[in-house]
């Protein structure tokens, strides 16, 4: 229990102190007009209060990620607590803050355009494709699960449930952000927060001890912690999907000083939710062996339902059903909204002032997502994980180059960027959905790639130092 409470305290302290350092590194300008005013169009650029932006951002980035991912990560034991805390404070929250604030500084630009600004046109093209694929996969994966549960608890068929969900997706994608998302997300956010707080409170009073920290790998199948844990627990620690969502809220912020509360703060909130569910999984089932058996029997959704119902009674059961249905939907809808914005920006059609124009760019991304939602959910999710963390690494490198060019403390982004480069470089060679090489060989190849990127980083540092020196000498 001490470890669990200390981990939550560290996340809060991280927001108060490290978050402030990140903000100072970026150097906000509270007097400048934000895109919500300078680009106001009544569709995507709409001024909204920061608390509403925080709730929207939390639901955009969370969904079931910090619940299902945390439960799967809990199979490694309390070492998952370390990754959630460290990853969230020094990686995920930094990633989310810079992706949101860079978008805000560049008139609400989408992630691929920001990559193009700082990493070049070739990388922009690659990331445009990767981002659209990731958005479509996320929308499909986060539709299949809710549709299956709706079919189980209602008279509706799976196909009918899919059509209903996608009809909502289209509405949320093409209507002004303040008409659907801005109105219902605060309610859904309250459900997510209440569910997590209620579970945390119940854990403190049940007759089972919350495990304390250990560096041991307790995974029942003896899967290696590095790099699998860093991909398994993405939402709650660091997730590339978040950078595709940040521009949605960046286009609504009234002041740059709200950035730390909305972007860094929402990530800390997601980290706390992930901690709660990781602790619940380890505690309720008496360790990782019991949790593994529960996941095998009913999947992550069944585990959520069992924990919620047992700890919170009928209310818990209702919350579990609402959570498993609503929360992924609130991620799927904004995934399609982001993909609509990315696609229109990619073809140079940023000006969309009505729902008909928005619909034109929504259909090409909605139809593939609808088709993919009919295939095996686990297959989809395997490919979401690596592409998600690849996007996270590229985002951090984008922020690093931004800091270098502007004479800021670049290490605050560069160190987590190197770490995530090592994660994705090793994972793709070892993972079942990758090349399936031996662990030792994958580690060697991943290390070589990371070392090569490190040399590139050093070259960039020296290059910018030389440019700065030449500029000073010329002056």
């Amino acid at each position: 229990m001490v470890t669990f409470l200390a981990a939550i305290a560290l996340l809060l302290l991280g927001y108060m102190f490290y978050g402030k350092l990140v903000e100072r590194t970026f150097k906000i300008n509270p007097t400048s007009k934000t895109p919500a005013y300078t680009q106001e169009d009544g569709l995507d650029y709409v001024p909204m209060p920061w608390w509403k932006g925080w709730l929207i951002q939390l639901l955009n980035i969370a969904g079931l990620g910090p619940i299902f991912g945390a439960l799967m990560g809990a199979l490694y034991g309390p070492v998952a607590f370390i990754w959630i805390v460290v990853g969230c404070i020094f990686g995920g929250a930094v990633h989310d803050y810079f992706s949101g604030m860079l978008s805000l500084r560049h008139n609400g630009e989408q992630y691929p355009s920001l990559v193009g600004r700082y990493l070049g046109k070739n990388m922009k093209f690659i990331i445009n494709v990767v981002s659209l694929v990731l958005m479509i996969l996320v929308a499909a994966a986060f539709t299949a699960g809710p549709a299956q549960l709706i079919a189980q608890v209602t008279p509706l068929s799976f196909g009918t449930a899919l059509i209903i969900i996608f009809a909502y997706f289209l509405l949320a994608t093409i209507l002004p952000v303040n008409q659907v998302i801005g109105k219902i997300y605060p309610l859904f956010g309250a459900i997510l927060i209440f569910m997590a707080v209620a579970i945390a409170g119940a854990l403190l009073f049940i007759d089972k001890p919350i495990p304390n920290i250990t560096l041991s790998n307790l995974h029942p199948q003896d899967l290696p912690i590095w790099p699998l844990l860093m991909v398994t627990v993405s939402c709650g620690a660091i997730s590339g999907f978040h950078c595709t969502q940040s521009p949605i809220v960046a286009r609504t912020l009234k002041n740059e000083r709200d950035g730390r509360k909305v972007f860094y703060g929402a990530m800390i909130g997601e980290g706390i939710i992930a901690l709660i569910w990781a602790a619940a999984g380890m505690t309720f089932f008496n360790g990782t062996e019991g949790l593994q058996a529960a996941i095998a029997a009913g999947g992550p959704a069944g585990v959520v339902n069992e924990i919620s119902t047992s700890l919170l009674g009928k209310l818990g059961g209702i919350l579990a059903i609402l959570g498993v249905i609503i929360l992924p939907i609130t991620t799927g809808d904004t995934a399609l909204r982001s993909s609509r914005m990315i696609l229109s920006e990619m073809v140079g059609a940023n000006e969309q002032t009505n729902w008909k124009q928005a619909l034109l760019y929504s259909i090409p991304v909605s139809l593939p997502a609808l088709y993919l939602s009919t295939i095996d959910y686990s297959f989809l999710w395997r490919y979401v994980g690596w592409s998600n963390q690849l996007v996270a690494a590229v985002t951090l490198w984008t922020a690093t180059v931004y800091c270098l060019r502007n004479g800021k403390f670049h290490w605050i982004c560069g160190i987590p960027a190197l770490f995530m480069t090592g994660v994705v470089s090793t994972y793709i060679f070892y993972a079942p959905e990758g090349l399936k090489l031996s662990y030792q060989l994958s580690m060697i190849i991943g290390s070589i790639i990371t070392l090569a990127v490190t040399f590139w980083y050093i070259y960039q540092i020296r290059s910018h130092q030389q440019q700065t020196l030449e500029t000073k000498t010329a002056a």
Side-chain angles (χ1 to χ4, degrees), residues 70-77 220 277-300 303-304 307:
L71 288 171
M72 298 301 293
L75 291 172
Y76 291 89
W277 281 100
M282 285 181 260
T283 304
F284 186 82
F285 297 102
N286 301 309
T288 59
E289 295 281 354
L291 177 59
Q292 172 73 33
I295 292 174
V303 170
V304 170
I307 291 174

Side-chain angles (χ1 to χ4, degrees), residues 18 21 25-26 98 400 403-404 406-415 457:
Y18 199 73
L21 174 62
T25 300
F26 187 81
F98 271 89
T400 302
C403 289
L404 275 170
N406 291 276
K408 302 178 186 294
F409 183 61
H410 56 86
W411 297 104
I412 206 165
C413 300
I415 292 175
Y457 183 24

Side-chain angles (χ1 to χ4, degrees), residues 89-107:
I89 294 173
F90 300 105
V94 173
H95 167 283
D96 290 13
Y97 182 81
F98 271 89
S99 64
M101 294 302 291
L102 284 175
S103 176
L104 187 147
R105 280 282 174 89
H106 295 292
N107 295 317

Side-chain angles (χ1 to χ4, degrees), residues 178-199:
N178 60 331
Q179 287 190 8
V180 177
I181 293 173
K183 288 183 177 178
I184 65 173
Y185 269 39
L187 174 61
F188 292 162
I191 292 174
L192 175 64
I193 294 167
F194 177 79
M195 188 177 180
V197 171
I199 293 294

